[in-house]
Amino acid sequence: FDSISVDAEKVGYLGAKYLFQNGHKEIAFINGPIAGFNSQKKLSGIQKAIMECNMDPSSVHIVHTNYTGKGGYTALSSLWEEGVRPDAVFGASDGITSGIMRLLYEKGVRIPDDISVLGYEDSLLAEYASPALTVIDAHKEQMGKEACTVLINRIKKPRSKVVSLNIEPSLIVRDSVRVR
C-alpha cells in the first residue's frame, strides 16, 4: 500500500540533539504510546543523539502517554511528583506539549527562563502559544499534498508502483528553548 510519513527517528534525533547542543543536561521526553511504531522510532533517534553527544542515558527521563494535552500534563506531573526537575522537556506531539506547558504554568515555572520546552508537529498551537513553541516540524501540509498526489495517481493508475515517501522533519526555532 502507498504511504506518506515523517522520519520519526529523525524527529527524536533532531529534538534531543538541539537540546543537548544548547547545554541541556536533564531532559524529560514525553512520548506517545510505548507500543507505537513512531514512538519507538523517536526513542531510537533520541538514543542516537545521546550517543553522538556523549550524554549520560540516565539524563533523559522517558514517559509514555497518549497524544493529548491531558496525557502530557499527567506524564510530566508524574515525573514532578517523583522529584524529577529537568532543564528541558520534549513533547512528542503538539497536544502533549500543550499539556506540558499548562502544568508548568500552574506550577509557576517560566518557559524558557526556568525550563526549555520543545514540541513536535508545528500546528497552530505551537506558533501562537506563549511563548511561541520551538518545534520539530512534521511538514503536515507537504504530507497532505503528497498524499493527494499519490491518491489521484492511484485512482488513475490502480496498478502503478507502490509509493512510500518519508518526509524529512526540520527544526523551527522560536522562543521556548534557551541556551543553558
Side-chain angles (χ1 to χ4, degrees):
F1 58 90
D2 298 319
S3 68
I4 315 294
S5 60
V6 173
D7 183 343
E9 183 172 8
K10 193 158 188 186
V11 167
Y13 173 79
L14 286 174
K17 186 171 181 182
Y18 180 71
L19 293 172
F20 293 146
Q21 287 176 333
N22 280 283
H24 297 282
K25 305 282 187 222
E26 198 81 15
I27 296 170
F29 178 53
I30 311 301
N31 200 2
I34 194 165
F37 177 77
N38 284 334
S39 295
Q40 293 302 315
K41 290 303 234 178
K42 288 173 195 165
L43 280 177
S44 177
I46 286 174
Q47 291 164 346
K48 183 177 176 184
I50 288 169
M51 290 176 29
E52 188 176 297
C53 296
N54 294 317
M55 299 301 292
D56 179 357
S58 68
S59 68
V60 179
H61 307 273
I62 298 164
V63 180
H64 293 274
T65 189
N66 56 44
Y67 290 110
T68 65
K70 183 177 181 181
Y73 183 99
T74 303
L76 184 57
S77 182
S78 70
L79 283 176
W80 215 262
E81 288 171 14
E82 293 172 16
V84 175
R85 299 295 186 271
D87 56 20
V89 183
F90 181 7
S93 74
D94 281 345
I96 288 172
T97 309
S98 68
I100 289 166
M101 292 176 81
R102 175 63 185 247
L103 178 74
L104 294 173
Y105 171 78
E106 289 177 6
K107 299 254 182 226
V109 178
R110 297 168 302 152
I111 303 168
D113 298 332
D114 302 326
I115 190 169
S116 290
V117 176
L118 176 71
Y120 165 64
E121 286 179 328
D122 196 33
S123 68
L124 289 175
L125 295 172
E127 188 174 358
Y128 291 99
S130 183
L133 190 59
T134 297
V135 296
I136 305 301
D137 188 357
H139 300 290
K140 288 181 176 186
E141 188 173 325
Q142 179 186 356
M143 287 179 66
K145 287 177 182 177
E146 296 288 355
C148 286
T149 300
V150 169
L151 178 60
I152 290 168
N153 185 57
R154 177 67 51 214
I155 291 168
K156 289 179 179 177
K157 301 175 187 174
R159 298 188 188 274
S160 62
K161 186 177 177 182
V162 171
V163 175
S164 180
L165 293 175
N166 207 9
I167 307 293
E168 288 290 310
S170 60
L171 175 69
I172 297 178
V173 177
R174 292 193 181 109
D175 302 326
S176 63
V177 174
R178 69 170 245 198
V179 177
R180 298 273 177 222

